[in-house]
Amino acid sequence: MRKLMSIWGVLPRGQQLFLVLLATFIVIPFVVLLFLQVYNAYRLTQLGNDISVKQEEWKYRAASLNANVVPESLKSPASQFAYQLLEAHADLVAERRLVVTIQQPLGERKLKSGKILTEEELLSAATDGIQEIGETECAALRETLAAECAVMSATGRAIGENAYEYQLQLAFSEKNALGAVDPKAAYEFLVTRSSPGKTATLSRVYFGKSAALRKRIYQDVADTCGAIRKKSGNCSVTTLSIASKLDRGTPMVRLAASAAYASLVPANDITASTR
């Protein structure tokens, strides 16, 4: 270091200035650039490792749910969620819900007694009946599909003129057992979707008959899951939604429904069916 300082001391002022400028504008930027390149290469390597880990993360989640299930069938978050509902088949859990939309006329303003009701009174009566509507729907579900049912959410709102819409979310557990699952066997997890109650949804009906049709749809869902259970050994309803909506300006409604069923199918059966 002393030798360098002594050499520096004998250099003319102009050469010293030149060397300072050289270090400032060439050497230091070059070193900084070299450092940035090394750092970026390191970060790219780390990023690649992180991406690789995330790409494989679903395999760990799938294995944690059930190591005997083909991991690819539990790859998506939706499949993992449905599998957890299958595992909780016998339990009343908030995540397994029936979502129901019911539209109906507010009612006649003139009662048989001759009293004339205001629109506010009709709306108040409809609002007061929200919880009762939910409990009635739970009762229909217990008669067909559910062992237990609880009203998680029940709301209502006026729609258009002289009409009211109820929105219900009912948690339920199934009446029928899940079925057979061999803890040592290999399985593929499948989710099957359907539009149940096609007979009930083909034509429009008077709104007063829609409750009976919804009940028929619940029974159809139970029967469909029973058929899957007979074929695959097990079945669990994971999602169910029904809408009973008015044709504008009439007391007639049209129904629509959708359902999803989860099942564990022996891997050998899947392999055999693809040959």
Side-chain angles (χ1 to χ4, degrees):
M1 187 67 181
R2 288 182 179 179
K3 189 174 182 180
L4 288 174
M5 293 300 295
S6 63
I7 294 173
W8 176 263
V10 299
L11 289 175
R13 185 72 176 173
Q15 289 185 357
Q16 290 180 350
L17 181 60
F18 172 76
L19 291 174
V20 169
L21 293 175
L22 181 67
T24 303
F25 293 104
I26 297 179
V27 177
I28 293 177
F30 176 77
V31 172
V32 171
L33 181 61
L34 182 62
F35 171 78
L36 288 175
Q37 288 178 334
V38 173
Y39 177 75
N40 287 338
Y42 168 76
R43 290 297 299 159
L44 286 173
T45 302
Q46 289 295 105
L47 182 60
N49 291 337
D50 291 344
I51 292 174
S52 178
V53 169
K54 287 183 178 180
Q55 287 176 338
E56 299 296 316
E57 189 176 353
W58 64 269
K59 292 184 179 180
Y60 301 110
R61 289 199 298 268
S64 68
L65 290 173
N66 191 332
N68 292 335
V69 176
V70 175
E72 285 74 14
S73 65
L74 290 172
K75 186 173 183 178
S76 71
S79 294
Q80 293 166 15
F81 179 76
Y83 179 82
Q84 289 173 317
L85 290 179
L86 179 142
E87 285 275 283
H89 175 85
D91 302 326
L92 180 66
V93 293
E95 291 77 12
R96 188 197 327 273
R97 296 189 185 189
L98 161 65
V99 179
V100 190
T101 300
I102 302 172
Q103 294 181 354
Q104 62 186 45
L106 273 175
E108 296 295 331
R109 290 193 175 186
K110 186 175 182 179
L111 302 179
K112 291 182 179 180
S113 62
K115 181 182 178 181
I116 305 297
L117 298 177
T118 65
E119 184 176 350
E120 288 74 17
E121 288 174 322
L122 287 173
L123 284 172
S124 178
T127 302
D128 291 343
I130 290 176
Q131 189 64 28
E132 183 181 350
I133 290 285
E135 295 295 345
T136 300
E137 207 67 23
C138 255
L141 201 60
R142 281 192 291 267
E143 290 179 22
T144 51
L145 175 65
E148 295 180 89
C149 179
V151 180
M152 301 298 295
S153 172
T155 59
R157 66 187 182 100
I159 52 170
E161 294 182 5
N162 197 38
Y164 202 80
E165 179 181 276
Y166 297 95
Q167 284 279 355
L168 311 174
Q169 294 192 34
L170 313 177
F172 67 95
S173 62
E174 285 188 63
K175 183 179 294 187
N176 295 318
L178 172 64
V181 178
D182 185 349
K184 296 181 180 179
Y187 286 99
E188 185 110 8
F189 180 69
L190 294 181
V191 175
T192 306
R193 291 175 173 79
S194 75
S195 299
K198 289 186 178 179
T199 302
T201 58
L202 282 177
S203 59
R204 66 177 194 165
V205 297
Y206 182 64
F207 82 93
K209 296 181 178 180
S210 63
L213 291 181
R214 290 195 301 275
K215 186 175 178 180
R216 188 185 301 177
I217 291 172
Y218 301 148
Q219 186 60 57
D220 184 60
V221 171
D223 293 343
T224 300
C225 202
I228 295 174
R229 191 175 293 115
K230 186 175 181 179
K231 181 179 179 180
S232 302
N234 56 82
C235 177
S236 184
V237 178
T238 55
T239 60
L240 177 57
S241 63
I242 294 181
S244 174
K245 295 191 175 183
L246 288 166
D247 274 354
R248 182 174 295 182
T250 77
M252 309 298 287
V253 297
R254 295 181 184 274
L255 279 77
S258 64
Y261 315 85
S263 59
L264 289 169
V265 181
N268 291 337
D269 292 353
I270 298 292
T271 303
S273 66
T274 56
R275 287 177 181 172

